[in-house]
Amino acid sequence: DAKTTQPTSMDCAEGRAANLPCNHSTISGNEYVYWYRQIHSQGPQYIIHGLKNNETNEMASLIITEDRKSSTLILPHATLRDTAVYYCIVRVIGGTSYGKLTFGQGTILTVHP
Amino acid sequence: GAGVSQSPSNKVTEKGKDVELRCDPISGHTALYWYRQSLGQGLEFLIYFQGNSAPDKSGLPSDRFSAERTGGSVSTLTIQRTQQEDSAVYLCASSLAGVMNTGELFFGEGSRLTVL
């Protein structure tokens, strides 16, 4: 699976949009982009995933560049409860990779009042 | 229950003792994964089960670590002769299918192991 690069940490004011970038310049055509987050002392939580089209759900939006070499996770109205480590992961669906996810160090997002 | 259940939530043991950690996945989930997370570190993959078989054990750090899954449901991770470096949070996750998994893993709250 392709490697991802994320900033170590980011800050965001409560109520503002949080935009978390991820670089995956070696992504291949059959690899999806996934985002998970881990709130302190909890297990990771799935947020969203996409292949090449932008995706939106009740939690967030995922914007993938046309060349697919980078993406941005957007939390439209960040709250204090969104403070967490956010992981960007790219992986193939199916084949021999099973469902195994390889987690990097992620971005520590701190939402402040 | 509705989510992945792990027990015990906390375990303190002495160096050299054996420990067993249990994971009860979401009903109907055929794929099950064990990860561990040492203090301040990222998540490290340990083992993957599809049904009762484990096609990927590549993350088990030593032969002191083993895992089994019975009835396609509950899994037990066993650590023999525990060492202080085994101290970590052990996380279990499950998902609907293996090969065609869409990437949505559902994680439990973890079992925090402390080896004195």
Side-chain angles (χ1 to χ4, degrees):
Chain A
D1 294 334
K3 180 180 172 60
T4 63
T5 304
Q6 299 178 251
T8 302
S9 63
M10 294 184 66
D11 287 341
C12 178
E14 189 176 21
R16 304 297 294 267
N19 296 283
L20 292 92
C22 179
N23 285 321
H24 31 78
S25 59
T26 60
I27 193 170
S28 58
N30 61 349
E31 287 184 307
Y32 286 67
V33 180
Y34 288 85
W35 285 84
Y36 278 74
R37 74 179 182 183
Q38 187 174 23
I39 296 170
H40 183 61
S41 298
Q42 296 183 21
Q45 175 190 24
Y46 166 84
I47 302 173
I48 198 168
H49 76 281
L51 181 62
K52 53 184 177 182
N53 296 324
N54 297 339
E55 302 288 344
T56 296
N57 62 20
E58 65 278 4
M59 289 182 68
S61 294
L62 174 61
I63 308 298
I64 303 174
T65 58
E66 191 169 343
D67 63 7
R68 302 208 324 120
K69 293 183 184 299
S70 65
S71 61
T72 301
L73 178 74
I74 301 172
L75 307 179
H77 306 287
T79 70
L80 299 178
R81 288 173 293 181
D82 292 322
T83 293
V85 181
Y86 286 77
Y87 297 99
C88 171
I89 303 163
V90 294
R91 63 172 291 268
V92 175
I93 289 182
T96 59
S97 65
Y98 314 108
K100 173 177 157 183
L101 297 175
T102 302
F103 290 83
Q105 294 302 308
T107 296
I108 301 170
L109 174 68
T110 303
V111 181
H112 52 86
Chain B
V4 176
S5 178
Q6 293 188 245
S7 61
S9 55
N10 277 287
K11 176 71 176 179
V12 180
T13 191
E14 294 180 349
K15 177 181 173 181
K17 300 286 189 183
D18 296 352
V19 296
E20 286 189 352
L21 307 176
R22 174 189 168 107
C23 173
D24 202 339
I26 293 172
S27 178
H29 281 193
T30 57
L32 185 147
Y33 313 80
W34 283 98
Y35 286 79
R36 76 174 176 181
Q37 188 168 32
S38 302
L39 186 62
Q41 301 297 311
L43 285 93
E44 175 188 11
F45 168 81
L46 297 178
I47 188 170
Y48 156 74
F49 286 93
Q50 177 56 35
N52 291 336
S53 63
D56 189 350
K57 307 179 184 178
S58 62
L60 293 178
S62 76
D63 58 7
R64 296 186 296 104
F65 287 73
S66 63
E68 65 174 13
R69 189 179 185 194
T70 55
S73 181
V74 172
S75 176
T76 302
L77 177 68
T78 301
I79 309 172
Q80 296 179 309
R81 306 180 302 282
T82 53
Q83 304 294 313
Q84 288 182 332
E85 61 263 28
D86 299 335
S87 296
V89 176
Y90 289 81
L91 290 153
C92 176
S94 70
S95 65
L96 270 172
V99 175
M100 292 307 296
N101 187 286
T102 59
E104 295 183 49
L105 269 62
F106 297 83
F107 283 82
E109 295 297 301
S111 292
R112 180 177 298 277
L113 174 66
T114 303
V115 182
L116 301 177

